[in-house]
Amino acid sequence: MKNDVNRQFRLKSRPVGRIKTSDFDLVKAPIPEPGAGEALVRVLYLSLDPTNRIWMSDMDQYMPPVEIGAVMRGGGIGVVVKSNTPAYQVGDHVSGLTGWQDYTIAGEKPELRMGVIPKGLPVPLPAMLGACGMTGLTAYFGLLELGQPKAGETVVVSAAAGAVGSVVGQIAKIKGCRVVGIAGGPEKCRHIVEDLGFDAAVDYKSADWKKKLAEATPNGIDVNFENVGGEIMEAVMARMNLFGRMPLCGMISGYNTGEPMRADFSPILMRRINIRGFIVTDFFPKFAEGARQLAEWVAQGKIKHEETIVDGLEEAPTAVNRLFDGQNVGKLIVKVADPESQ
Ligand code: NDP
């Protein structure tokens, strides 16, 4: 659909608990005109991420919170439709912080810079937001650089059927590890074992999940790729081996509560666990290497990429809650415009 306005979701109030549509104003702004050294980008796909909830809040975080009245920050992919710079050619696909809107400006200035997606990649565009994009890179660097998994070791990952978790598990399998995923519900658990090749899955919504976790990790746990925090994190930490590693990627179970997350530190001391929090951008200088390897694994069928795609920019504020309700498998994406009709 071609638009003659730029629909924008602007943050009206900081959500309390779940995100509500009333936390945003949907504004019809004029389509921006690119200046010298700039290009106009039609947004095609929007990445919905747990961190959107963090950015909406004013909690202590790794980037400035989105200001009240500002366009909601969000990653995405778009197509260049008008250009005043050789850096972006009309028809180029670009990725970066597009925001929750129909159009954005890419430019030569650092704050406007977007990455041009190479042409002819053997993966569909939405996968460039997921397994071959930021979430894949999060899995790749968090697991390999910080988790340091060795063949034969046991790796546990939480939110295992989600965007990051599903890639973590598949990379750990490539590295010869025993991989146990923690996910909500029997269907997600079936999926990660039968379709993605995990060795075992633990449904944390079942009554006896801690017993199932113990059964699935008879030799303890060497690497815990932590996506959830809270009770799940504590149960996994309690089973970690001496000198275990724990890349702390996310703590989604706490994002809607606004409460500080508490945990028992004694296993860290007794088992000398190495916990390292990280943000994927810490590895920016190595992104090209990671992206190349992920694309190769996807092309070879060693990593299956999966996306849950919701149609329509107007759905963004409700769709983002799917991350907190567990109603996504793989990467959650909003399709803003049809790439074929641009
Ligand atoms: P996912 O695709 O994994 O979606 C989130 C999933 O989390 C849901 O599908 C749900 O799965 C699970 N979940 C939600 N609430 C709870 C809860 N209370 N308890 C247990 N599980 C829950 O999202 P991402 O892959 O994008 O993100 C996963 C984690 O990684 C997040 O914590 C995120 O903040 C973090 N992250 C960190 C980055 C970094 O640079 N450090 C970059 C990207 C993501 P289920 O049905 O199994 O409950």
Side-chain angles (χ1 to χ4, degrees):
M1 182 186 64
K2 282 209 165 30
N3 275 358
D4 50 6
V5 293
N6 186 20
R7 294 172 302 162
Q8 302 179 316
F9 277 107
R10 297 190 188 168
L11 188 64
K12 186 159 82 181
S13 51
R14 303 208 180 277
V16 177
R18 284 170 68 83
I19 299 161
K20 296 179 286 305
T21 46
S22 57
D23 292 319
F24 295 91
D25 281 321
L26 180 55
V27 173
K28 288 182 178 170
I31 297 173
E33 197 52 46
E38 294 182 349
L40 179 66
V41 174
R42 174 69 163 116
V43 180
L44 302 174
Y45 295 103
L46 205 53
S47 169
L48 292 185
D49 298 282
T51 200
N52 293 146
R53 179 65 184 81
I54 295 175
W55 292 341
M56 290 172 202
S57 79
D58 56 6
M59 70 185 273
D60 179 27
Q61 54 194 279
Y62 59 95
M63 280 173 92
V66 176
E67 283 177 28
I68 299 294
V71 176
M72 180 57 206
R73 186 189 295 138
I77 286 178
V79 60
V80 176
V81 290
K82 209 187 254 189
S83 181
N84 298 327
T85 163
Y88 304 101
Q89 308 284 336
V90 170
D92 279 352
H93 287 130
V94 293
S95 69
L97 288 175
T98 57
W100 289 16
Q101 55 187 346
D102 285 309
Y103 292 91
T104 189
I105 295 288
E108 294 164 8
K109 289 185 200 149
E111 65 273 21
L112 293 178
R113 217 165 277 161
M114 298 184 84
V116 177
I117 299 174
K119 290 194 180 10
L121 288 179
V123 293
L125 268 186
M128 297 306 294
L129 288 176
C132 297
M134 280 296 180
T135 47
L137 292 167
T138 305
Y140 181 89
F141 291 114
L143 179 67
L144 298 182
E145 298 265 334
L146 307 180
Q148 306 257 323
K150 293 167 200 66
E153 287 189 331
T154 298
V155 173
V156 170
V157 57
S158 47
V164 174
S166 59
V167 178
V168 167
Q170 294 180 85
I171 297 175
K173 281 308 300 175
I174 292 170
K175 296 295 172 186
C177 299
R178 173 174 173 77
V179 180
V180 179
I182 302 178
E187 174 49 28
K188 283 190 177 181
C189 288
R190 183 208 63 74
H191 172 64
I192 59 177
V193 172
E194 291 180 16
D195 304 333
L196 302 185
F198 285 45
D199 295 289
V202 174
D203 175 2
Y204 74 90
K205 291 183 177 167
S206 69
D208 59 347
W209 67 271
K210 287 184 188 165
K211 185 166 158 269
K212 294 268 169 52
L213 178 66
E215 286 166 4
T217 57
N219 300 324
I221 296 166
D222 302 292
V223 179
N224 173 32
F225 193 103
E226 186 56 53
N227 283 324
V228 168
E231 201 187 348
I232 293 177
M233 179 175 81
E234 279 199 298
V236 175
M237 276 169 63
R239 293 198 54 73
M240 286 187 75
N241 292 330
L242 205 57
F243 300 114
R245 285 85 65 202
M246 182 171 135
L248 180 50
C249 176
M251 297 193 287
I252 191 170
S253 67
Y255 297 171
N256 274 337
T257 69
E259 296 293 318
M261 198 166 277
R262 317 246 175 239
D264 177 8
F265 267 35
S266 54
I268 307 173
L269 172 64
M270 302 309 169
R271 251 71 56 56
R272 282 81 108 194
I273 302 170
N274 189 357
I275 301 183
R276 229 326 268 286
F278 74 100
I279 297 296
V280 60
T281 45
D282 298 343
F283 298 96
F284 183 73
K286 293 182 169 182
F287 271 13
E289 167 214 312
R292 225 180 357 258
Q293 179 62 84
L294 287 163
E296 192 179 309
W297 282 333
V298 168
Q300 292 168 343
K302 292 183 178 167
I303 290 183
K304 291 191 179 130
H305 67 88
E306 301 184 304
E307 297 88 28
T308 298
I309 301 184
V310 178
D311 219 8
L313 174 68
E314 62 284 1
E315 296 300 324
T318 30
V320 71
N321 281 312
R322 289 185 178 214
L323 296 165
F324 300 93
D325 298 337
Q327 288 174 2
N328 66 304
V329 173
K331 177 75 205 156
L332 183 61
I333 290 171
V334 166
K335 184 176 172 185
V336 179
D338 189 353
E340 304 306 323
S341 65
Q342 301 308 310

